[in-house]
C-alpha cells in the first residue's frame, strides 16, 4: 500500500507526541495498541494497526516501568512495525517481529535520557540557589522536549530510511525464515501473559485463572464475557472478605506513624530556629492558583523530567511553583527554603501524585516555612503506599483486564475494545482532580483509614484480572500444529489430537514455560523473547507449526 508524504509526516509528528503523552499527559494514547491504531489510521490501514498494536500490547501486559525502571519500548515498536508493514506491504505479522528489536534497542535510549535528566535536576537546584526561579520551568520543559525526541527522532529515521532498507532486506530473506517470523508473531503474546502472571497472586487465586481458561476453551465465551463474569465473581469475593476484615482493626502503619511523630518533633524543636517572618500566618491559596498547580502537573510535570537521582523532583517543584510564590511572596528566604525542599527526592504513581501535592499545599498554607520538615516527612511516607495503590489499582490491573480484552479483539480486527479501553483510561486520568482535592482536604489521614479497604479491593480486582488472563491464553496465542501422521489412507491431524486432549494445549504449555523461565536466574524477558523467536523459526522450518 502506498503511503503519501503527508501521511509519513503525520506519523513523524505522532512519534514525537507519543512520548509526551506517555510521560506527561498520560491519557492513554501512548499504549502500544493505541499507537498501532493511530498509525494505521494515519496511513489508511486501521486493520494492520489493530493487529500490530494488539499483538505488541499483549506482550506488554506484564511489563510496566514501575519506579522509573526502563522497559522495552513497545509503543514505539507499534508505530515502527505498523508503518513499515503498511508502507512495504510485508504484513502485520512480520511488522510485529520488526517492531520487537526496535523496542529492545530503545531501552538504551530511555536509560540515557534519565541520565541526562540528572543534569537538568542539578541546574534547577543551582537556579533555586541563585533565586532565579524562572529557570525551573525552562529546565523542566527542556527535559520534556528531549523526552519527545527520544521516540520522535528514531521514528523520523524509520520513515526516511526504513522503508527502503526493509524492502531491500526482504528480497534476500528465505521463505522459511519469513514463515518462522509469522509463527513467532502468533506465539509472542505468551511472553506478555507469562510476565503478567508473575506479578499476580496466581498461587493464592489460581482457580480464577483456570475458570477463565475453561470458559473460553470449552464453552467459547468471549473474553469480554469472561470479564463480566469475573466482575460478578469479584463482587462475591469482596463481600465475603469484607465481612471478615470489618471486624478487625489495625493500628496505623509505621510509615504514617513516622510522619506524624516527625511533625510533632518539628513543631516543638524547630520552632525556635525560625524567624518571626517565617512564623507568620500564611494566607489561603486562591482557587486559580490551586487549579494552576494541578494543570502544570498534568500537562507540564508528571514524569516529564524523570531522572535516576531524584526521579520526579524537578516536575514536582515546577508544578507547585505558583503556590510557593504566592505563599511566600513576602518572605524571599522562605520561598527559597520551600523550593529547595520541593526539589528533594520524590517518586510515586502519576495519578496518585496530586493527592500528595494537595496535602503538601494544605500544610504549607496553614504553617508556612514552619511546616517544611513536616512536608518532607509526609511526602516520604505517602509516596510509597500511594505508588503501590496506584500502580496496582490504576495501572497494571486495568491494563491487564481492559487492555487484554481490547488487544484480543484488536488482533481479530475489532476496534470496539480499543474504544472501551480508551474511555476507561480517560476516566482513570480524570481521578487526578478528586484525588488532588482529597489530599488538600484530608491529607494523610485518608490513607490510614482506607488502607484495609484498599487491600480487599485489590484482591477482588485480582480475581477479574486472573480470569481475563486465563481467557486470553487460548484466544490471543495462535499456534496451529501442521504436522500429520499418515499410514496408508489413515491421516491423523496433530492439531485435532491435541484439541481432543485439551483445547489450547500449546498456548497453555507455552505460557507455563515462560512463567517457569522467569523464575530462573539470568532469564530476562528479552532473553525469553529470543527463545520464542528461535523456537518459532525452528518449529516452522521442520513443518511442525
Amino acid at each position: 500500500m502506498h503511503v503519501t508524504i503527508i501521511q509519513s509526516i503525520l506519523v513523524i509528528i505522532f512519534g514525537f507526541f507519543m512520548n509526551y503523552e506517555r510521560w506527561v499527559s498520560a491519557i492513554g494514547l501512548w499504549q502500544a495498541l493505541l499507537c498501532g491504531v493511530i498509525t494505521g489510521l494515519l496511513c489508511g490501514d486501521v486493520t494492520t494497526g489493530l493487529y500490530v498494536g494488539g499483538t505488541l500490547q499483549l506482550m506488554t501486559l506484564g511489563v510496566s516501568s514501575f519506579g522509573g525502571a526502563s522497559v522495552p519500548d513497545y509503543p514505539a515498536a507499534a508505530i515502527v512495525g505498523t508503518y513499515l508493514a503498511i508502507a512495504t506491504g510485508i504484513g502485520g505479522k512480520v511488522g510485529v517481529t520488526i517492531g520487537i528489536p526496535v523496542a529492545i534497542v530503545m531501552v538504551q535510549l530511555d536509560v540515557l535520557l534519565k541520565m541526562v535528566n540528572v543534569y537538568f535536576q542539578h541546574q534547577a537546584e543551582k537556579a533555586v540557589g541563585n533565586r532565579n526561579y524562572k529557570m525551573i520551568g525552562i529546565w523542566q520543559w527542556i527535559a520534556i522536549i528531549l523526552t519527545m525526541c527520544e521516540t520522535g527522532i528514531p521514528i523520523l529515521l524509520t520513515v526516511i530510511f526504513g522503508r527502503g532498507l526493509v524492502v531491500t532486506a526482504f528480497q534476500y530473506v528465505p521463505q522459511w525464515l519469513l514463515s518462522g517470523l509469522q509463527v513467532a508473531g502468533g506465539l509472542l503474546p505468551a511472553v506478555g501473559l507469562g510476565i503478567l502472571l508473575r506479578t499476580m497472586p496466581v498461587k493464592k487465586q489460581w482457580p480464577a485463572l483456570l475458570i477463565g481458561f475453561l470458559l473460553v476453551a470449552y464453552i467459547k465465551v468471549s473474553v469480554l464475557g469472561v470479564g463480566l463474569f469475573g466482575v460478578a465473581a469479584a463482587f462475591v469475593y469482596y463481600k465475603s472478605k469484607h465481612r471478615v476484615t470489618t471486624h478487625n482493626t489495625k493500628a496505623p502503619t509505621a510509615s504514617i506513624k513516622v510522619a506524624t511523630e516527625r511533625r510533632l518533633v518539628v513543631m516543638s524543636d524547630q520552632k525556635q530556629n525560625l524567624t518571626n517572618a517565617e512564623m507568620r500566618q500564611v494566607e489561603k491559596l486562591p482557587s486559580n492558583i490551586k487549579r494552576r498547580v494541578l494543570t502544570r502537573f498534568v500537562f507540564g510535570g508528571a514524569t516529564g523530567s524523570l531522572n535516576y537521582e531524584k526521579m520526579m523532583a524537578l516536575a514536582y517543584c515546577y508544578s507547585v511553583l505558583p503556590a510557593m510564590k504566592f505563599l511566600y511572596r513576602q518572605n524571599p528566604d522562605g520561598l527559597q527554603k520551600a523550593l529547595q525542599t520541593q526539589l528533594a527526592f520524590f517518586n510515586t504513581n502519576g495519578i496518585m501524585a496530586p493527592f500528595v501535592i494537595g496535602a503538601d499545599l494544605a500544610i504549607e498554607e496553614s504553617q508556612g516555612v514552619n511546616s517544611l520538615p513536616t512536608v518532607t516527612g509526609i511526602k516520604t511516607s505517602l509516596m510509597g503506599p500511594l505508588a503501590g495503590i496506584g500502580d496496582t489499582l490504576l495501572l497494571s490491573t486495568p491494563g491487564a483486564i481492559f487492555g487484554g480484552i481490547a488487544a484480543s479483539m484488536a488482533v481479530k480486527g475489532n476496534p470496539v475494545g480499543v474504544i472501551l479501553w480508551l474511555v476507561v483510561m480517560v476516566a482513570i486520568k480524570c481521578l487526578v482532580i478528586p484525588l488532588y482535592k482529597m489530599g488538600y482536604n484530608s491529607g494523610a489521614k485518608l490513607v490510614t483509614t482506607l488502607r484495609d479497604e484498599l487491600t480487599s479491593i485489590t484482591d477482588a480486582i485480582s480475581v477479574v484480572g486472573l480470569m481475563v488472563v486465563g481467557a486470553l491464553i487460548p484466544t490471543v496465542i495462535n499456534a496451529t500444529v501442521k504436522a500429520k501422521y499418515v499410514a496408508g489412507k489413515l491421516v491423523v491431524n496433530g492439531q485435532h489430537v491435541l484439541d481432543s486432549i485439551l483445547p489450547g494445549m500449546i498456548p497453555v504449555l507455552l505460557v507455563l514455560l515462560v512463567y517457569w523461565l522467569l523464575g530462573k536466574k539470568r532469564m530476562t524477558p528479552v532473553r525469553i523473547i529470543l527463545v520464542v523467536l528461535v523456537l518459532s523459526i525452528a518449529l516452522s522450518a521442520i513443518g511442525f507449526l
Side-chain angles (χ1 to χ4, degrees), residues 102-122:
V102 172
I104 296 172
V105 170
M106 290 191 66
V107 174
Q108 309 308 318
L109 291 180
D110 186 62
V111 173
L112 179 62
L113 175 66
K114 289 171 184 173
M115 293 173 64
V116 173
N117 283 346
V118 173
Y119 172 78
F120 303 139
Q121 171 76 30
H122 290 171

Side-chain angles (χ1 to χ4, degrees), residues 16 157 160 200 202 309 406 433 437 476 478 531:
F16 280 92
L157 296 175
I160 295 175
M200 303 181 77
V202 176
E309 184 175 303
I433 299 175
K437 294 179 179 178
V476 302
N478 298 314
V531 169

